[in-house]
Amino acid sequence: MTSPDLTQNRENFCYRHPDRQSFVLCQRCMRTICPECQTQAPVGVICPECMKAERKARTPAQRRAQRRWGGSIAADGRPLVTYAIIAVTAAVSLLQMVPVIGGYIQRALIFAPAFLYPDLSGAPFEPWRMLTAMLLHGGFIHLGLNMLALWMLGRSLEPMLGRWRFLSLYLISGFGGSVAVACLAPNTLTVGASGGVFGLMAALLIIGRHIGANVTGILVVLGINFAFGLFVGGISWQAHLGGALVGAAVAYIFTRTRQRQQRTAQIWLLVALVVVLIGITAFVPPALIAAGVFG
């Protein structure tokens, strides 16, 4: 039975369709909207007027990206996955710096190629370290610079690609960085999200070029950061190289499969790329070690 107070209160009716009762509010303006007027947002729904205002607020580059990427830009454009990655990474890295407990965390998550080849190294087989090392950092400066870069890149890429594609790009790039370390520096220990960050930079370069944006700035930044790793000790330029190459490959797949009807092909191409990386990891470093390339 419906209470008279509910039926007489005009706030319980859609502001665009006064004859339609509803109890759903627009997350922007908080007006009541019926199902016909609701546009799904990452959190709740928004009304047509707020949606129109949000579209007008987008830059020309964002509008071009939305047209070319099949409308995958989130309604509110908030890079929630970026924030989540930063929060988790910062939490683990800060715990890593705590005396005693930090040592246990680092030993459990750090990546060394030895953990991939127990027959050669005698170490346990723990391949997940290829990703968990992205949660560790070599100090406050290392953590701060990587998280700042992630925040800046994520604000542009995540709303453009969508959350799941952005997360896939970041993780596969980080995995690619570890693959490069295994192939080029199998005797080293590595930590840091740099592989994933360089993958994002390379992806922004590829996607920006694809939509006709000026990519000179990101190209210069990518080049400077990579060169810096070559001449400064203690930096894994191998992870930077691997992350950048794999990030570029993932971005190329995205640019060629951006239509909705190509989603299945996109997923399978990403799976194929991961399988190739696993194959390289399984066979290339042991062959190089057996050949005496690394002593």
Side-chain angles (χ1 to χ4, degrees):
M1 184 174 179
T2 304
S3 169
D5 291 337
L6 292 177
T7 58
Q8 294 174 8
N9 188 348
R10 301 315 304 168
E11 293 183 358
N12 295 328
F13 291 80
C14 176
Y15 80 96
R16 298 180 74 239
H17 302 94
D19 59 325
R20 300 179 187 177
Q21 191 174 29
S22 178
F23 302 98
V24 178
L25 303 180
C26 170
Q27 295 300 303
R28 295 285 184 83
C29 64
M30 302 306 293
R31 289 182 293 186
T32 304
I33 46 178
C34 67
E36 183 181 333
C37 298
Q38 298 169 14
T39 299
Q40 188 64 45
V43 178
V45 294
I46 59 177
C47 69
E49 292 182 22
C50 289
M51 186 63 185
K52 183 178 180 180
E54 191 277 334
R55 286 173 174 168
K56 286 184 177 180
R58 291 173 184 163
T59 65
Q62 287 177 317
R63 288 194 290 270
R64 287 198 303 270
Q66 184 180 26
R67 289 194 299 270
R68 296 194 178 195
W69 290 87
S72 62
I73 295 179
D76 63 356
R78 291 182 298 171
L80 297 183
V81 171
T82 300
Y83 297 154
I85 293 173
I86 291 174
V88 173
T89 304
V92 175
S93 294
L94 291 175
L95 285 174
Q96 174 200 358
M97 300 174 196
V98 176
V100 182
I101 188 176
Y104 288 106
I105 293 174
Q106 179 162 309
R107 287 191 293 273
L109 302 181
I110 196 171
F111 172 65
F115 290 104
L116 302 177
Y117 313 108
D119 293 340
L120 298 174
S121 65
F125 180 59
E126 298 179 351
W128 56 84
R129 291 174 179 265
M130 299 178 78
L131 290 178
T132 59
M134 298 171 68
L135 299 173
L136 304 177
H137 286 81
F140 288 108
I141 296 178
H142 189 202
L143 172 64
L145 290 176
N146 272 343
M147 294 303 98
L148 176 62
L150 176 57
W151 176 70
M152 296 175 66
L153 293 164
R155 289 191 306 163
S156 297
L157 278 172
E158 185 182 336
M160 184 187 304
L161 296 176
R163 286 163 186 158
W164 288 109
R165 282 193 285 194
F166 176 79
L167 181 61
S168 299
L169 169 62
Y170 180 75
L171 293 178
I172 296 174
S173 297
F175 181 69
S178 295
V179 172
V181 171
C183 292
L184 301 175
N187 299 319
T188 62
L189 297 170
T190 59
V191 296
S194 300
V197 170
F198 268 76
L200 298 182
M201 282 195 284
L204 186 59
L205 177 65
I206 297 298
I207 294 172
R209 186 74 180 90
H210 180 74
I211 65 176
N214 187 342
V215 297
T216 303
I218 188 62
L219 181 61
V220 171
V221 171
L222 181 61
I224 291 175
N225 277 274
F226 183 74
F228 186 76
L230 292 175
F231 297 105
V232 177
I235 296 178
S236 178
W237 62 266
Q238 298 90 348
H240 296 177
L241 177 63
L245 291 176
V246 173
V250 173
Y252 183 78
I253 291 174
F254 287 161
T255 61
R256 298 302 171 183
T257 57
R258 64 182 186 272
Q259 303 300 329
R260 290 185 181 274
Q261 61 269 28
Q262 296 176 305
R263 294 286 173 84
T264 301
Q266 182 180 100
I267 292 171
W268 280 110
L269 286 171
L270 292 177
V271 170
L273 176 60
V274 173
V275 170
V276 169
L277 292 174
I278 293 173
I280 293 173
T281 306
F283 297 107
V284 173
L288 295 176
I289 293 173
V293 174
F294 299 106

